[in-house]
């Protein structure tokens, strides 16, 4: 009796937790995959799986470095010091996205607080998470892992566009 009553209490307490864990593991087929690779001290991105009329399996690859103060426009309005990058990650809204995060050298952490995302980028390990952006806007983040002397200078800028504008952007970049 003295062991079965605590066991039943623990079983009753664990039932809502297991239900919540099961519900959190959402299964959705993503329409787009964004590969994120952390380097010392910049991020590289690849959006692939594009098929067009002329070519198949095309991809967009680009590298995002922090903009130094001299690289910002003269009026500097609308730009945030130490948070602006040379290229922004463009993603569609109202689309299921898969983010594949890894690192090339040391531990990093791809963090965008507005999305509620913080995922570690570990060398030799591929972390996956789902993202569904509901609104158009510009979202900022940074590496939040102490990955070295310049970890505070690894900003992230994500621009979310309506799906049609995103597809137009991709087609103009791929059909050069």
């Amino acid at each position: 009796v003295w062991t079965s009553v605590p066991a039943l209490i623990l079983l009753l307490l664990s039932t809502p937790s297991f239900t919540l864990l099961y519900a959190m593991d959402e299964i959705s087929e993503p329409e787009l995959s964004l590969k994120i690779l952390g380097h010392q001290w910049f991020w590289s991105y690849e959006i692939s799986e594009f098929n067009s009329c002329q070519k198949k399996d095309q991809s967009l690859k680009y590298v995002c470095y922090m903009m130094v103060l001299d690289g910002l426009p003269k009026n500097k309005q609308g730009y945030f010091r130490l948070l602006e990058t040379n290229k922004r990650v463009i993603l569609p809204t109202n689309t299921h996205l898969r983010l594949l995060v890894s690192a090339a050298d040391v531990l990093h952490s791809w963090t965008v607080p507005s999305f509620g995302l913080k995922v570690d980028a570990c060398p030799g390990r591929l972390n996956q998470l789902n993202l569904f952006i509901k609104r158009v806007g510009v979202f900022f983040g940074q590496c939040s892992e102490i990955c070295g002397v310049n970890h505070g200078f690894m900003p992230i800028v994500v621009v979310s566009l309506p799906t049609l504008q995103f597809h137009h952007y991709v087609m103009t970049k791929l059909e050069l």
Side-chain angles (χ1 to χ4, degrees), residues 73-127:
K74 297 294 180 206
N75 59 8
K76 295 185 182 72
Q77 291 181 344
Y79 292 93
F80 294 103
R81 187 170 113 21
L82 300 179
L83 283 179
E84 196 60 51
T85 58
N86 62 338
K87 295 181 182 176
R88 294 177 168 184
V89 180
I90 311 290
L91 294 176
T93 57
N94 299 323
T95 304
H96 289 282
L97 306 169
R98 177 190 305 142
L99 305 180
L100 302 169
V101 183
S102 187
D105 39 34
V106 296
L107 292 176
H108 298 285
S109 185
W110 199 83
T111 306
V112 181
S114 298
F115 296 153
L117 288 180
K118 180 178 180 179
V119 62
D120 287 336
C122 305
R125 181 183 173 111
L126 188 65
N127 289 330

Side-chain angles (χ1 to χ4, degrees), residues 12-55:
L12 288 173
L13 289 174
S14 66
T15 303
S17 298
F18 286 127
T19 306
L20 186 60
L21 280 173
Y22 181 75
M24 283 178 50
D25 189 25
E26 64 179 83
I27 299 172
S28 62
E29 187 64 33
E31 298 177 31
L32 187 67
S33 293
L34 173 66
K35 298 172 190 165
I36 303 164
L37 193 60
H39 302 270
Q40 287 181 337
W41 319 115
F42 61 94
W43 296 101
S44 64
Y45 300 94
E46 179 181 348
I47 303 174
S48 56
E49 304 167 356
F50 294 118
N51 292 326
S52 66
C53 296
Q54 287 103 6
K55 299 176 187 171

Side-chain angles (χ1 to χ4, degrees), residues 47-65:
I47 303 174
S48 56
E49 304 167 356
F50 294 118
N51 292 326
S52 66
C53 296
Q54 287 103 6
K55 299 176 187 171
K56 294 209 181 283
D57 296 328
Q58 295 176 311
S59 64
L60 290 175
K61 294 180 185 178
Y62 48 97
V63 176
C64 295
Y65 295 96

